[in-house]
Amino acid sequence: MSSRLSAGPPKPAMSRRALLRGAAAAGSAGVLAGCAGRPDAHLDADAAPWKRYAGTTLNFISENTAPTAAIAADLRPFTELTGIRVNIVTLELSALAQKVALDFASGNGEYDVVYADPYLVLAPYAAAFADLREFQEDPALPRLPGGFGDFIPAHLDTAGRFGDSGKVLALPYDCPTMVWQYRADLFEEYGERMADDLGFDPTPSDNSTWEQYHAIAKWFNSHAHQVRYGTGHQAKQHDALMCDFSNVLWSYDGSYFADGTRVGRFGTTDPGKCLLRSDAAVAGAEFYDRLLRVADPASRTWDWDGLGAAFRSGRIAMCPNWHEYAAANETALPGKVGYARLPKGPARSAGMYGGTGIAVSNVVSARRRRAAWLFANWATAPKTQVSNLASKVGGGTPTRASVYAVPRVVEAEQRPSKMPNMLTAEAVKAAWKDANLGLRPKIPMWGECDTAIYTELSRMFAGEVSPGGAMRAAADRIDRITARGWVN
């Protein structure tokens, strides 16, 4: 998330019916008629597995993320390994979802490899992606180093699967996670005074609560001359607001749907009734409204990028934000920033996971799918992930367990670090534990539900509706969306 372009409200994607019509028509033709404008992948059946498709050009469509920036800056290792060229198209997320939907529905097969956001791409268009187990089990193709089991399980399930079929539709590629980012230098300078005034140790820890966070923010507002406000938030009327609020909602034992862990981790087409009318959800909204009242007022104009910039400029003392901002933080505020798991509510701590996988389009020829597998395999390999960590233009965080045991990666968890995102390792590993993982619902119609949530929260901030009223209104809108279903 840290390097992503800010997106506007998610737009309704191509209907599932239109997608399936296009996919079915393409599939019945064997080799897609729409691919006639693109040459098929070259094949030398006698070549070594990595060289078998040399001479092919692949198209990869991605959101502008840290690992894609790193890979785009140095594709030479992949081209030398395979003889394959890769064209990379980067877009903001809602535009990417539209492009992919149109490509699938038309059967053109323009994109071989797709950055498959779990909510706007993978859930609605799962039928249009190849089951990657086919390639992993093909003796003529290179296997994943470490296999599927080397990916962090929560990442593989959330970013790579949809439903209970067991299919693996994407390989975990990035893993932005929301953590507590704070000015460690100011907490050190004022720690004793805050403790005396507030009656608790303000140092961020696993014991910190959201009520304590609120109290710390108020204290900074009145006592610290180095910053204007204690806290800031990504509370613009935008997807960012849903992300920021969800951390609090879950910590209060609120949920969007029943069995939220399963719906978030594996996904479903029928999530049931929305649960935002519950007492727990309303309590979470009441606290969130109260928290925003002591936050920097500009929070209501910020998405994650605006919040990150405000923190780096020294305007605020702390904020919840995506962990991959560490690389930029360490440039602007070297040695002054700390990272911790988000505070606890009455039920638990919860940190939003925002990871995405890369997938192979099923709307391209069989040869192209196999060539695309080579790129997906290489792009998520441990060696590539270590390289991305150290990239001057990238900095993505590993999705493979083995990378966290590499000696120079372990060393980078402490300053001075040549891989600054690893300074967040302790915080994100805590957030990825099952008890702390924050997963929004992986349902095909999530884009519209997301809009309902942040729209009603914005009305709450404006005083048009109470926190309880905002939750009830959002739930009513979500129930209408899910009752209609995805097939328009």
Side-chain angles (χ1 to χ4, degrees):
M1 287 274 186
S2 61
S3 62
R4 296 178 179 181
L5 300 176
S6 296
K11 303 173 184 176
M14 179 70 63
S15 78
R16 199 176 198 193
R17 178 180 288 123
L19 164 68
L20 295 178
R21 277 201 306 268
S28 67
V31 176
L32 301 172
C35 292
R38 296 182 66 204
D40 200 1
H42 293 267
L43 173 62
D44 181 353
D46 296 325
W50 281 103
K51 289 288 190 181
R52 195 157 289 181
Y53 297 95
T56 299
T57 298
L58 297 173
N59 291 339
F60 171 35
I61 186 169
S62 175
E63 191 179 1
N64 184 20
T65 65
T68 297
I71 285 171
D74 189 13
L75 277 165
R76 177 182 46 81
F78 177 71
T79 301
E80 289 179 351
L81 175 66
T82 63
I84 296 172
R85 296 176 60 83
V86 182
N87 295 324
I88 299 179
V89 177
T90 57
L91 298 169
E92 58 86 15
L93 186 55
S94 62
L96 177 147
Q98 289 287 306
K99 286 277 191 182
V100 170
L102 290 169
D103 190 46
F104 288 163
S106 68
N108 284 341
E110 183 68 22
Y111 307 111
D112 306 285
V113 183
V114 175
Y115 180 86
D117 176 83
Y119 315 98
L120 297 186
V121 178
L122 186 66
Y125 309 122
F129 292 113
D131 183 355
L132 302 182
R133 296 177 301 177
E134 170 193 346
F135 310 122
Q136 175 71 352
E137 295 164 5
D138 188 336
L141 293 172
R143 289 177 173 268
L144 292 166
F148 293 120
D150 189 36
F151 290 104
I152 295 168
H155 298 188
L156 184 63
D157 292 341
T158 306
R161 302 183 192 274
F162 183 73
D164 57 6
S165 68
K167 292 180 179 179
V168 178
L169 301 175
L171 299 179
Y173 181 66
D174 63 14
C175 53
T177 303
M178 294 191 76
V179 299
W180 185 352
Q181 305 182 24
Y182 62 95
R183 287 287 299 274
D185 58 330
L186 300 184
F187 273 79
E188 182 176 357
E189 178 178 346
Y190 293 110
E192 290 186 9
R193 283 181 58 191
M194 277 196 285
D196 288 342
D197 291 348
L198 299 176
F200 60 85
D201 182 355
T203 307
S205 73
D206 287 352
N207 294 318
S208 299
T209 68
W210 275 115
E211 287 290 355
Q212 290 174 338
Y213 184 100
H214 181 275
I216 294 167
K218 285 185 66 176
W219 193 95
F220 271 117
N221 288 350
S222 302
H223 296 91
H225 65 87
Q226 296 95 330
V227 291
R228 293 175 63 181
Y229 295 94
T231 187
H233 294 264
Q234 45 187 275
K236 180 180 180 178
Q237 188 170 335
H238 177 275
D239 175 57
L241 172 53
M242 178 281 300
C243 294
D244 195 62
F245 165 70
S246 294
N247 299 316
V248 172
L249 172 74
W250 294 320
S251 78
Y252 271 72
D253 204 27
S255 183
Y256 291 108
F257 298 102
D259 201 2
T261 297
R262 179 188 60 81
V263 172
R265 190 156 178 160
F266 296 101
T268 182
T269 57
D270 183 13
K273 297 283 285 185
C274 181
L275 299 184
L276 287 180
R277 303 176 185 86
S278 71
D279 291 345
V282 172
E286 289 172 344
F287 173 79
Y288 189 66
D289 186 44
R290 186 156 52 90
L291 178 61
L292 265 291
R293 293 180 188 280
V294 303
D296 189 324
S299 295
R300 299 178 193 178
T301 69
W302 293 336
D303 60 8
W304 40 73
D305 284 333
L307 177 59
F311 181 73
R312 292 192 301 274
S313 73
R315 184 180 174 111
I316 55 179
M318 58 184 184
C319 63
N321 209 346
W322 303 103
H323 82 276
E324 290 181 347
Y325 278 103
N329 291 345
E330 295 305 310
T331 298
L333 299 165
K336 295 182 178 181
V337 181
Y339 305 94
R341 191 190 76 182
L342 286 178
K344 297 186 297 185
R348 64 176 180 126
S349 168
M352 170 76 80
Y353 167 81
T356 291
I358 54 173
V360 173
S361 172
N362 227 8
V363 190
V364 298
S365 69
R367 282 188 190 178
R368 282 198 162 276
R369 291 198 294 272
R370 284 164 172 74
W373 165 256
L374 299 183
F375 179 74
N377 186 335
W378 173 84
T380 59
K383 183 176 180 180
T384 305
Q385 293 197 350
V386 172
S387 178
N388 288 349
L389 265 174
S391 172
K392 299 296 184 183
V393 298
T397 307
T399 60
R400 286 178 168 273
S402 63
V403 175
Y404 290 88
V406 173
R408 66 189 183 109
V409 174
V410 174
E411 291 174 7
E413 294 182 18
Q414 306 297 324
R415 293 184 177 90
S417 177
K418 294 181 179 179
M419 302 173 177
N421 278 352
M422 289 307 299
L423 296 172
T424 68
E426 183 176 352
V428 294
K429 287 177 184 176
W432 293 337
K433 292 179 179 178
D434 288 348
N436 304 326
L437 195 62
L439 298 174
R440 75 199 87 172
K442 189 162 58 173
I443 58 176
M445 61 290 289
W446 177 248
E448 292 180 83
C449 297
D450 183 3
T451 302
I453 294 159
Y454 64 67
T455 299
E456 296 303 330
L457 288 169
S458 294
R459 291 182 62 223
M460 178 182 77
F461 295 151
E464 297 175 12
V465 64
S466 68
M471 292 297 96
R472 289 187 292 273
D476 289 344
R477 291 178 62 175
I478 290 170
D479 282 342
R480 289 194 294 271
I481 293 165
T482 57
R484 187 187 72 231
W486 177 241
V487 180
N488 294 328

